[in-house]
Amino acid sequence: MRNTLAFIGTGIMGAPMAGHLLDAGFPLLVHTRTRSRADDLIRRGARWADSPAVAAAAAGVIFICVPDTPDVQAVVLGPRGILASARPGQIVVDHSTISPAATREMARRLAEKQAFLLDAPVSGGDVGARNAALSIMVGGDRAAFDQARPILEHLGRAILYCGPSGAGQLTKLVNQVLVSVTNLAVCEALTFAKKTGLDLQTTLAAVSAGAANSWQLANLAPKMIARDFTPGFMIDLMQKDLRLLMAAANESGVCLPASSLVHHLFTSAQAAGLGKSGTQALYTVIQRLAAEE
Amino acid sequence: MRNTLAFIGTGIMGAPMAGHLLDAGFPLLVHTRTRSRADDLIRRGARWADSPAVAAAAAGVIFICVPDTPDVQAVVLGPRGILASARPGQIVVDHSTISPAATREMARRLAEKQAFLLDAPVSGGDVGARNAALSIMVGGDRAAFDQARPILEHLGRAILYCGPSGAGQLTKLVNQVLVSVTNLAVCEALTFAKKTGLDLQTTLAAVSAGAANSWQLANLAPKMIARDFTPGFMIDLMQKDLRLLMAAANESGVCLPASSLVHHLFTSAQAAGLGKSGTQALYTVIQRLAAEE
């Protein structure tokens, strides 16, 4: 039983992650809201569990990968949730990006049963999930982390212990500040370049060599120029993360002027029907402000 | 005379650049506001010119590297300026970062005498100037650029033709949008991390691998954490560039919300006496907003 794992939430991220655990030879229980989304894993040897509680009853380590805070709360605290069958020494690893405060509260509830919650949000997207190349930012009990680490190494390339409960979520939010504000920098730079008549490819080549460079510039600027707005990371998901950021910043008394700005500008993208587009579609919002296109 | 060069403005940037031209064997005339700042170049073989006009009278290509738009205007259009002795075929290369509109106007005035103005602002700072490793973004007549290029290769590593007159200046402003807004992203990320109790080194390691990375993060975040605010690039100089950006954006009808924000936040840094500090001192402004330190 120690070796048996459970995976709750087998969506775009969760399914390939659960698949890596199967490939590594772990007995695996799965549960997800829409059962058909677990079919492939079950064909590959996973067993279906009727609820998170059933999955947890038979597993030493339970992984969660669901969309948002209320979803994780339902999986952990709900009537047929993990907490109902939690036992001493059990480890719950939550890969969802959710509220750090809600994370700490659930960790406290599980600790009452001597079980551990590790918050372990990831970056790297569905490509990273499929290639087991995720960055995993982990908060929670250090000994529980050390125990879970060998399993996490089947899912990601960089497994980082960030600190006590919530620290993984907070680190993910730091990541999203950088990603989204740098993206806005690229949108403003290209809009200014286009409206003032510069050739965009030449400009990109000119500024990519030095202090202006970033992952966002290198990866998203070419897509903006090509008007390719297919999602690497969807605006709706970024907005969820930025809402978590705004709440956490509020609670901690941190004023984040550029992050709030980009959050509101993404709202404009959503209003224009671009919520399912990639974050690089923020470019169209800045262009519209300049009466371009 | 075709081979004789002139260099106007031998400050922190101009002096090492002029030095590279001397090293390359060009006969060189120099003129600068404070004559003593040319002493070293004169010891190394440069000849002193009493005015830009005198320098221009004897040189085929004249380089300018002075602080701001009015300084270049004085050098070009002033009573003893370059225009007074401009001749057909002469090329003026302006390495200063100044107004694109003023650049186009000066190019027009020189063109009346069949002389060319290339705007050629640089990035790479005083280190880049000393090591001949600058990026040089050039706007103006293409044939004049092709003629000047072999000389510019003694000054920089990346010599980029950006388009007609003003395009070099505009490209430099694009660069400054990216540099300054990405810097703000780093300041907000670290302030949020610090105030929410994360370990800054661990956080930096966690977010540096992927989509959050940038030159600003890699190079300035460690300085912010160490509270090392010695200038790589001074806030006062960035503010000059952002003022040029705001004016150019206004003229072209471009709305740059994050760039205006960072311009105003830098004003707060200047108000706190940090104008001579490096741009990474913006971190203290965001920290102050969070009542940190």
Side-chain angles (χ1 to χ4, degrees), chain B residues 7-212:
Chain B
F7 211 107
I8 317 292
T10 56
I12 293 175
M13 298 295 290
M17 293 167 79
H20 295 312
L21 299 178
L22 276 180
D23 291 344
F26 291 102
L28 186 70
L29 284 145
V30 292
H31 176 81
T32 197
R33 210 148 40 180
T34 309
R35 183 170 171 164
S36 61
R37 301 198 73 168
D39 283 351
D40 180 58
L41 291 164
I42 289 165
R43 261 193 303 275
R44 291 163 63 191
R47 276 179 303 140
W48 176 254
D50 268 329
S51 71
V54 169
V61 183
I62 304 116
F63 296 84
I64 305 172
C65 194
V66 296
D68 207 345
T69 309
D71 306 301
V72 178
Q73 288 171 322
V75 166
V76 175
L77 310 174
R80 303 180 68 207
I82 292 167
L83 187 67
S85 54
R87 296 176 317 282
Q90 213 167 20
I91 299 172
V92 179
V93 180
D94 178 22
H95 289 302
S96 325
T97 297
I98 67 162
S99 155
T103 293
R104 283 187 287 260
E105 171 59 15
M106 286 185 284
R108 195 188 60 71
R109 296 284 296 278
L110 283 163
E112 290 171 356
K113 295 197 164 189
Q114 289 159 276
F116 302 99
L117 176 64
L118 298 174
D119 46 307
V122 301
S123 77
D126 53 333
V127 177
R130 281 197 301 274
N131 300 335
L134 296 168
S135 285
I136 309 182
M137 293 155 267
V138 189
D141 183 80
R142 176 79 212 207
F145 168 76
D146 291 335
Q147 217 179 310
R149 183 181 200 130
I151 312 178
L152 292 174
E153 277 165 359
H154 295 290
L155 305 179
R157 222 171 259 164
I159 319 294
L160 289 136
Y161 180 73
C162 300
S165 184
Q169 297 296 349
L170 289 167
T171 304
K172 174 71 183 281
L173 295 181
V174 169
N175 190 79
Q176 301 304 61
V177 168
L178 291 163
V179 162
S180 59
V181 177
T182 307
N183 179 17
L184 179 53
V186 177
C187 296
E188 293 198 4
L190 288 188
T191 300
F192 178 78
K194 184 147 194 255
K195 195 84 190 279
T196 57
L198 291 174
D199 177 77
L200 295 185
Q201 296 292 0
T202 307
T203 305
L204 188 54
V207 300
S208 290

